[in-house]
Amino acid sequence: MSSAAEQEAVAGPQATGNGRQAAAVNGARRAAPPPTLPAWPGAPTPLGARFRVGPDGVAGTNFALWAGGAEGVELCLFDEAGKESRVRLAELTHEIWHGFVPGVLPGQRYGYRVHGRWDPWTGARWNPAKLLLDPYARAVDGDFGLPPEVYGHVRDWPQQHVADTVRDDRDSAPHVPKGVVVHDDDDWADDRRPKTPWADSVIYELHVKGFTRLHPGIPEELRGTYAGLAHPAAIEHLVNLGVTAVELLPVHQFAHEDHLLRRGLKNYWGYNSIGYFAPHAAYAASGTRGQQVGEFKRMVRALHAAGIEVVLDVVYNHTAEAGELGPALSLKGIDNRGYYRLQDDARRYADYTGCGNTLHVVQPQVLRLITDSLRYWVTEMGVDGFRFDLAAALARSMHDVDMLSPFLAVIAQDPVLRRVKLIAEPWDVGSGGYQVGAFPPLWTEWNDRYRNAVRDFWRHALPDVREMGYRLSGSSDLYAWGGRRPYASVNFITAHDGFTLRDLVSYERKHNEANGEGNRDGTDDNRASNGGTEGETDDEGVRALRRRQLRNLLTTLLLSTGVPMLVAGDELGRTQRGNNNAYCQDNEISWLDWGLLEDPGWQALFALTSRLIALRHRHPVLRRRAFFSGRAQTADGLRDLAWFTSRGTEMTEQDWYAPAATLGMYLSGRDIPGRDERGEQILDDSFLAVLHAGEGPVNFTLPGPPWAERYEVVVDTSREEQGEAPGVEHRAGTEITMPARAVLLLRVAG
């Protein structure tokens, strides 16, 4: 390489606009152009590839691609041998390039080459040598590897600080997946959506592959797939557990990051989307030439038939194309400036996500892409809601998070999307990105304040019980405004990101060495307690304490007001061996070990979890649709919610600020606001929950009238065999002994 070439790379856009540097590096040779096919004008809507009958009854496919600022678009069709034919889309309507190609049938693989200026200094990164995935492709065939040819710039340019300015003219088509034309005429007439009210929901976060990969009741060829999750053996577990919705980790087509591929790893979680309409092809058992679409739909139907809703974890905040040194797979080569937020130095990307880029949701075409995708998954794929990864990034206007942003405004008025479940992860990594409690009505939120408080309480790290009082009763301090309800809080103790529940009581430090990043990745703020020994142990005392803490955590979660979210396997004692960032562990570290159900100890944990969920379903006092008032409704002074000290007296202001490890919560079934479907008053049992996180036992006096005269034990987490606990009665005023670290749930008898 000559020093003159190096100088050109630094000189500016005029020096790099013709790709001379790429030729110098790559020895690029121009092959004979592929054959060109004719196209009819077609239509600019809908976007994407739509098979239909055209003029004169001729079957074919209409292709439409928004590419603002581009100078030309070529549609590229690939036969079974990979031979490419091109179609010039000559029609341009409102920045949409379109054409109808006769004879193109479902199953056809395709991509685009987009022509325009190469001027990274102004954000222009068009490069027709790169085959680009249609953002509206409904199926994707092939895997994303990341050889140098898939980068728009010369990835290995010696001067890395200017490498992104040097255009790479090598053809990427042999190295990238292709979109697939899909024919979709399914009207969902036989589907019955569960439509579970928010207050009645219990969410179960799972990974399609990880949940099914080792399940012995699922045929080997279906494990790790949508068909595997639809199998009766998988659904039986969900039904027996009692959850009402599965929240699937990302199933949009995603790609693996270069730094993982170099270490022989893959992106397991899937938070690296590149196709917002396509079910991830690797999770399909039936094929990747469009069959994955039907397989996904059959999975949704099977779950619906069992009364289980399907919520998708979606990643619209960034894409797999990363920053200026990332690959050119789709949007970057279609219109980089139109799709991504750029800095004042337009070579650089504004990164509010920690993943290299941020979609520019304020732009109409980006907002259209996202909302079209959301509507597609609801109306044509049958899903019931979405959990939005880093939702604060979507709510940013030009820079700041804005709860009147275009994205939130469009969702609020959309007749399809405003009716489905909407869950925000209410933060991003940018300035001002932490927005817990700030999202508007219609939205629920992952409540990390709940997670932190419950973890800290059970490791006896809270200075007092004020925070626990708010979290147990629906987090009114965060959500009691603007018509929001207690179910705006999605309560969770664990999620895919972090320790499993078993690891939370077995490890205090992360053990992420298998990720190949020197254990630097993953959070150090685990709020965990290992019982005195780090990791697995044969010490029966430590093991017994850990099992009790698991029961305490699950019982707390399922008795709290709000929407509980469990993570797949926590009810079985799943472990990741201390890895709190298993995003790249597509192996037994992440897959659910169904052999745990053969252990009587873990069987008992599953039985307790399912019993608690059933208890929640039976008792509306545990599923309140309105916040507690804390005020007496009748002359006897009984209130809908009351708090008690271990002395059996109501909490005073001073008590809330005093150091304490014990809290009593009384829930009245007589004062539930609202009426049932027939307009009748809702009445239920009343309950007293006593939570004690202290390291030693404490005496607790059961409150007397008007609260109760007798109490019946429903759950006692200090009892190893839960079947023995229910039915034991205590008279009001009795002083009972609460063992160290335990939850006692009592029903008011009589």
Side-chain angles (χ1 to χ4, degrees), residues 327-365:
L329 307 175
S330 182
L331 306 181
K332 183 180 289 186
I334 294 171
D335 187 348
N336 186 57
R337 296 178 299 187
Y339 278 110
Y340 292 116
R341 290 179 180 268
L342 304 179
Q343 299 182 24
D344 292 338
D345 174 4
R347 274 181 61 194
R348 314 298 182 191
Y349 292 76
D351 184 8
Y352 296 109
T353 67
C355 300
N357 64 54
T358 307
L359 280 177
H360 201 346
V361 181
V362 174
Q363 297 281 11
Q365 64 276 6

Short mmCIF file of all heavy atoms in Angstrom, two decimals, residues 327-365:
data_model
loop_
_atom_site.label_atom_id
_atom_site.label_comp_id
_atom_site.label_asym_id
_atom_site.label_seq_id
_atom_site.Cartn_x
_atom_site.Cartn_y
_atom_site.Cartn_z
N PRO A 327 -20.72 -3.48 10.18
CA PRO A 327 -21.02 -3.97 8.83
C PRO A 327 -22.16 -3.21 8.18
O PRO A 327 -22.93 -2.51 8.84
CB PRO A 327 -21.41 -5.43 9.08
CG PRO A 327 -21.98 -5.41 10.48
CD PRO A 327 -21.17 -4.41 11.23
N ALA A 328 -22.25 -3.33 6.86
CA ALA A 328 -23.36 -2.76 6.09
C ALA A 328 -24.28 -3.90 5.69
O ALA A 328 -24.03 -4.61 4.71
CB ALA A 328 -22.83 -2.03 4.85
N LEU A 329 -25.35 -4.09 6.44
CA LEU A 329 -26.23 -5.23 6.24
C LEU A 329 -27.59 -4.83 5.69
O LEU A 329 -28.24 -5.61 5.01
CB LEU A 329 -26.43 -5.97 7.57
CG LEU A 329 -25.16 -6.40 8.30
CD1 LEU A 329 -25.51 -7.01 9.65
CD2 LEU A 329 -24.35 -7.36 7.45
N SER A 330 -28.05 -3.61 6.00
CA SER A 330 -29.40 -3.21 5.59
C SER A 330 -29.54 -1.69 5.61
O SER A 330 -29.22 -1.02 4.65
CB SER A 330 -30.45 -3.87 6.50
OG SER A 330 -31.75 -3.54 6.10
N LEU A 331 -29.98 -1.14 6.74
CA LEU A 331 -30.34 0.28 6.80
C LEU A 331 -29.16 1.20 6.52
O LEU A 331 -29.33 2.26 5.93
CB LEU A 331 -30.92 0.59 8.19
CG LEU A 331 -32.10 -0.27 8.66
CD1 LEU A 331 -32.56 0.19 10.03
CD2 LEU A 331 -33.24 -0.22 7.66
N LYS A 332 -27.98 0.81 6.96
CA LYS A 332 -26.81 1.66 6.77
C LYS A 332 -26.56 1.92 5.29
O LYS A 332 -26.15 3.03 4.90
CB LYS A 332 -25.58 1.01 7.42
CG LYS A 332 -24.31 1.85 7.33
CD LYS A 332 -23.13 1.13 7.99
CE LYS A 332 -23.28 1.09 9.50
NZ LYS A 332 -22.07 0.51 10.16
N GLY A 333 -26.80 0.91 4.46
CA GLY A 333 -26.57 1.07 3.03
C GLY A 333 -27.78 1.58 2.27
O GLY A 333 -27.66 1.97 1.11
N ILE A 334 -28.97 1.58 2.89
CA ILE A 334 -30.18 2.08 2.22
C ILE A 334 -30.27 3.58 2.37
O ILE A 334 -30.47 4.30 1.39
CB ILE A 334 -31.42 1.38 2.81
CG1 ILE A 334 -31.40 -0.11 2.46
CG2 ILE A 334 -32.70 2.03 2.28
CD1 ILE A 334 -32.46 -0.92 3.17
N ASP A 335 -30.14 4.09 3.57
CA ASP A 335 -30.02 5.52 3.82
C ASP A 335 -29.55 5.72 5.25
O ASP A 335 -30.35 5.80 6.18
CB ASP A 335 -31.34 6.26 3.59
CG ASP A 335 -31.17 7.78 3.67
OD1 ASP A 335 -30.10 8.23 4.11
OD2 ASP A 335 -32.10 8.50 3.30
N ASN A 336 -28.26 5.77 5.41
CA ASN A 336 -27.65 5.88 6.73
C ASN A 336 -28.16 7.10 7.49
O ASN A 336 -28.50 7.03 8.67
CB ASN A 336 -26.13 5.95 6.57
CG ASN A 336 -25.40 5.92 7.89
OD1 ASN A 336 -25.56 5.01 8.69
ND2 ASN A 336 -24.59 6.95 8.14
N ARG A 337 -28.24 8.23 6.79
CA ARG A 337 -28.67 9.47 7.45
C ARG A 337 -30.16 9.46 7.76
O ARG A 337 -30.61 10.14 8.69
CB ARG A 337 -28.34 10.67 6.55
CG ARG A 337 -26.87 10.87 6.31
CD ARG A 337 -26.58 12.02 5.38
NE ARG A 337 -27.18 11.81 4.05
CZ ARG A 337 -26.97 12.59 3.01
NH1 ARG A 337 -26.19 13.65 3.14
NH2 ARG A 337 -27.52 12.34 1.85
N GLY A 338 -30.92 8.70 7.02
CA GLY A 338 -32.36 8.69 7.24
C GLY A 338 -32.79 7.77 8.36
O GLY A 338 -33.85 7.96 8.95
N TYR A 339 -31.98 6.75 8.66
CA TYR A 339 -32.38 5.74 9.64
C TYR A 339 -31.72 5.91 11.01
O TYR A 339 -32.31 5.54 12.02
CB TYR A 339 -32.08 4.34 9.12
CG TYR A 339 -33.14 3.81 8.19
CD1 TYR A 339 -32.90 3.65 6.83
CD2 TYR A 339 -34.40 3.45 8.67
CE1 TYR A 339 -33.88 3.15 5.96
CE2 TYR A 339 -35.38 2.96 7.82
CZ TYR A 339 -35.11 2.82 6.48
OH TYR A 339 -36.08 2.33 5.63
N TYR A 340 -30.51 6.46 11.06
CA TYR A 340 -29.78 6.48 12.32
C TYR A 340 -29.58 7.91 12.84
O TYR A 340 -29.47 8.86 12.07
CB TYR A 340 -28.40 5.82 12.14
CG TYR A 340 -28.48 4.34 11.88
CD1 TYR A 340 -28.03 3.80 10.67
CD2 TYR A 340 -28.99 3.47 12.84
CE1 TYR A 340 -28.09 2.44 10.43
CE2 TYR A 340 -29.06 2.11 12.61
CZ TYR A 340 -28.61 1.60 11.41
OH TYR A 340 -28.69 0.25 11.17
N ARG A 341 -29.50 8.02 14.16
CA ARG A 341 -29.12 9.28 14.79
C ARG A 341 -27.61 9.46 14.61
O ARG A 341 -26.83 8.59 15.01
CB ARG A 341 -29.46 9.28 16.28
CG ARG A 341 -30.95 9.31 16.60
CD ARG A 341 -31.15 9.29 18.11
NE ARG A 341 -32.55 9.33 18.49
CZ ARG A 341 -33.25 10.43 18.75
NH1 ARG A 341 -32.64 11.61 18.65
NH2 ARG A 341 -34.51 10.38 19.09
N LEU A 342 -27.21 10.58 14.05
CA LEU A 342 -25.80 10.88 13.85
C LEU A 342 -25.40 12.06 14.73
O LEU A 342 -26.22 12.88 15.11
CB LEU A 342 -25.52 11.21 12.38
CG LEU A 342 -25.93 10.14 11.36
CD1 LEU A 342 -25.60 10.61 9.94
CD2 LEU A 342 -25.27 8.79 11.65
N GLN A 343 -24.12 12.12 15.06
CA GLN A 343 -23.61 13.24 15.83
C GLN A 343 -23.42 14.45 14.92
O GLN A 343 -23.64 14.39 13.70
CB GLN A 343 -22.29 12.86 16.48
CG GLN A 343 -22.38 11.70 17.46
CD GLN A 343 -21.05 11.39 18.11
OE1 GLN A 343 -20.17 12.25 18.22
NE2 GLN A 343 -20.89 10.15 18.56
N ASP A 344 -23.00 15.57 15.51
CA ASP A 344 -22.70 16.75 14.68
C ASP A 344 -21.62 16.40 13.66
O ASP A 344 -21.65 16.88 12.53
CB ASP A 344 -22.23 17.90 15.58
CG ASP A 344 -23.35 18.43 16.46
OD1 ASP A 344 -24.54 18.23 16.09
OD2 ASP A 344 -23.06 19.03 17.50
N ASP A 345 -20.66 15.59 14.06
CA ASP A 345 -19.73 14.98 13.12
C ASP A 345 -20.45 13.78 12.53
O ASP A 345 -20.53 12.71 13.16
CB ASP A 345 -18.45 14.57 13.85
CG ASP A 345 -17.49 13.79 12.95
OD1 ASP A 345 -17.79 13.65 11.74
OD2 ASP A 345 -16.46 13.30 13.46
N ALA A 346 -20.99 13.93 11.34
CA ALA A 346 -21.91 12.93 10.79
C ALA A 346 -21.23 11.59 10.48
O ALA A 346 -21.92 10.63 10.13
CB ALA A 346 -22.58 13.47 9.53
N ARG A 347 -19.92 11.52 10.59
CA ARG A 347 -19.27 10.21 10.48
C ARG A 347 -19.62 9.32 11.66
O ARG A 347 -19.58 8.10 11.56
CB ARG A 347 -17.74 10.38 10.46
CG ARG A 347 -17.13 10.65 9.10
CD ARG A 347 -15.62 10.78 9.24
NE ARG A 347 -14.98 9.57 9.74
CZ ARG A 347 -13.73 9.54 10.18
NH1 ARG A 347 -12.99 10.64 10.21
NH2 ARG A 347 -13.21 8.39 10.60
N ARG A 348 -19.95 9.96 12.79
CA ARG A 348 -20.14 9.23 14.04
C ARG A 348 -21.63 9.07 14.35
O ARG A 348 -22.46 9.89 13.97
CB ARG A 348 -19.47 9.96 15.21
CG ARG A 348 -18.06 10.45 14.93
CD ARG A 348 -17.11 9.32 14.63
NE ARG A 348 -15.75 9.81 14.41
CZ ARG A 348 -14.75 9.07 13.93
NH1 ARG A 348 -14.97 7.81 13.60
NH2 ARG A 348 -13.55 9.58 13.77
N TYR A 349 -21.94 8.02 15.11
CA TYR A 349 -23.32 7.72 15.48
C TYR A 349 -23.60 8.17 16.91
O TYR A 349 -22.74 8.06 17.79
CB TYR A 349 -23.59 6.22 15.36
CG TYR A 349 -23.56 5.71 13.94
CD1 TYR A 349 -22.36 5.52 13.27
CD2 TYR A 349 -24.74 5.43 13.25
CE1 TYR A 349 -22.32 5.06 11.97
CE2 TYR A 349 -24.72 4.97 11.95
CZ TYR A 349 -23.51 4.79 11.31
OH TYR A 349 -23.49 4.35 10.01
N ALA A 350 -24.79 8.69 17.12
CA ALA A 350 -25.25 8.95 18.49
C ALA A 350 -25.64 7.62 19.09
O ALA A 350 -26.48 6.90 18.55
CB ALA A 350 -26.43 9.92 18.47
N ASP A 351 -25.02 7.28 20.20
CA ASP A 351 -25.21 5.95 20.78
C ASP A 351 -25.84 6.07 22.16
O ASP A 351 -25.16 6.27 23.16
CB ASP A 351 -23.86 5.24 20.87
CG ASP A 351 -23.98 3.80 21.38
OD1 ASP A 351 -25.12 3.34 21.53
OD2 ASP A 351 -22.93 3.17 21.62
N TYR A 352 -27.18 5.94 22.22
CA TYR A 352 -27.90 5.93 23.49
C TYR A 352 -28.17 4.51 23.98
O TYR A 352 -28.86 4.32 24.97
CB TYR A 352 -29.24 6.66 23.35
CG TYR A 352 -29.11 8.14 23.02
CD1 TYR A 352 -29.45 8.63 21.77
CD2 TYR A 352 -28.65 9.03 23.97
CE1 TYR A 352 -29.33 9.97 21.46
CE2 TYR A 352 -28.53 10.39 23.68
CZ TYR A 352 -28.87 10.85 22.43
OH TYR A 352 -28.75 12.19 22.13
N THR A 353 -27.64 3.52 23.26
CA THR A 353 -27.97 2.13 23.53
C THR A 353 -26.79 1.30 24.02
O THR A 353 -26.99 0.20 24.52
CB THR A 353 -28.52 1.47 22.26
OG1 THR A 353 -27.47 1.38 21.28
CG2 THR A 353 -29.68 2.27 21.68
N GLY A 354 -25.58 1.81 23.85
CA GLY A 354 -24.40 1.04 24.18
C GLY A 354 -24.07 -0.01 23.14
O GLY A 354 -23.19 -0.85 23.36
N CYS A 355 -24.73 0.04 21.99
CA CYS A 355 -24.54 -0.97 20.94
C CYS A 355 -24.01 -0.36 19.65
O CYS A 355 -24.01 -1.02 18.61
CB CYS A 355 -25.84 -1.70 20.68
SG CYS A 355 -26.47 -2.57 22.14
N GLY A 356 -23.61 0.90 19.69
CA GLY A 356 -22.97 1.51 18.54
C GLY A 356 -23.84 2.44 17.73
O GLY A 356 -23.35 3.37 17.09
N ASN A 357 -25.16 2.20 17.70
CA ASN A 357 -26.04 3.09 16.95
C ASN A 357 -27.38 3.20 17.65
O ASN A 357 -27.68 2.43 18.58
CB ASN A 357 -26.22 2.61 15.49
CG ASN A 357 -26.91 1.25 15.39
OD1 ASN A 357 -28.00 1.05 15.93
ND2 ASN A 357 -26.28 0.30 14.69
N THR A 358 -28.18 4.17 17.19
CA THR A 358 -29.53 4.38 17.72
C THR A 358 -30.44 4.74 16.56
O THR A 358 -30.12 5.66 15.78
CB THR A 358 -29.56 5.53 18.75
OG1 THR A 358 -28.57 5.30 19.76
CG2 THR A 358 -30.94 5.64 19.40
N LEU A 359 -31.53 4.02 16.40
CA LEU A 359 -32.48 4.37 15.34
C LEU A 359 -33.07 5.75 15.61
O LEU A 359 -33.39 6.10 16.75
CB LEU A 359 -33.59 3.33 15.26
CG LEU A 359 -33.25 2.05 14.51
CD1 LEU A 359 -34.42 1.08 14.56
CD2 LEU A 359 -32.87 2.32 13.07
N HIS A 360 -33.24 6.52 14.54
CA HIS A 360 -33.72 7.90 14.64
C HIS A 360 -35.24 7.89 14.54
O HIS A 360 -35.82 8.16 13.49
CB HIS A 360 -33.10 8.75 13.54
CG HIS A 360 -33.10 10.22 13.84
ND1 HIS A 360 -33.84 10.78 14.85
CD2 HIS A 360 -32.43 11.24 13.26
CE1 HIS A 360 -33.65 12.08 14.88
NE2 HIS A 360 -32.79 12.39 13.93
N VAL A 361 -35.89 7.59 15.66
CA VAL A 361 -37.33 7.35 15.65
C VAL A 361 -38.13 8.60 15.32
O VAL A 361 -39.30 8.52 14.93
CB VAL A 361 -37.76 6.75 17.01
CG1 VAL A 361 -39.25 6.45 17.04
CG2 VAL A 361 -36.98 5.48 17.29
N VAL A 362 -37.54 9.77 15.45
CA VAL A 362 -38.25 11.01 15.10
C VAL A 362 -38.50 11.08 13.59
O VAL A 362 -39.46 11.71 13.14
CB VAL A 362 -37.46 12.23 15.59
CG1 VAL A 362 -38.09 13.53 15.10
CG2 VAL A 362 -37.39 12.23 17.11
N GLN A 363 -37.66 10.43 12.80
CA GLN A 363 -37.83 10.45 11.34
C GLN A 363 -39.08 9.67 10.95
O GLN A 363 -39.29 8.54 11.42
CB GLN A 363 -36.60 9.82 10.67
CG GLN A 363 -35.30 10.56 10.91
CD GLN A 363 -35.18 11.78 10.01
OE1 GLN A 363 -36.14 12.19 9.35
NE2 GLN A 363 -34.00 12.38 9.97
N PRO A 364 -39.93 10.22 10.08
CA PRO A 364 -41.19 9.55 9.72
C PRO A 364 -41.00 8.14 9.18
O PRO A 364 -41.77 7.24 9.52
CB PRO A 364 -41.81 10.48 8.67
CG PRO A 364 -41.22 11.82 8.96
CD PRO A 364 -39.82 11.56 9.45
N GLN A 365 -39.98 7.94 8.35
CA GLN A 365 -39.80 6.61 7.75
C GLN A 365 -39.37 5.58 8.79
O GLN A 365 -39.71 4.40 8.68
CB GLN A 365 -38.79 6.66 6.60
CG GLN A 365 -37.38 7.05 6.99
CD GLN A 365 -37.17 8.55 7.07
OE1 GLN A 365 -38.13 9.33 6.93
NE2 GLN A 365 -35.94 8.98 7.28
#
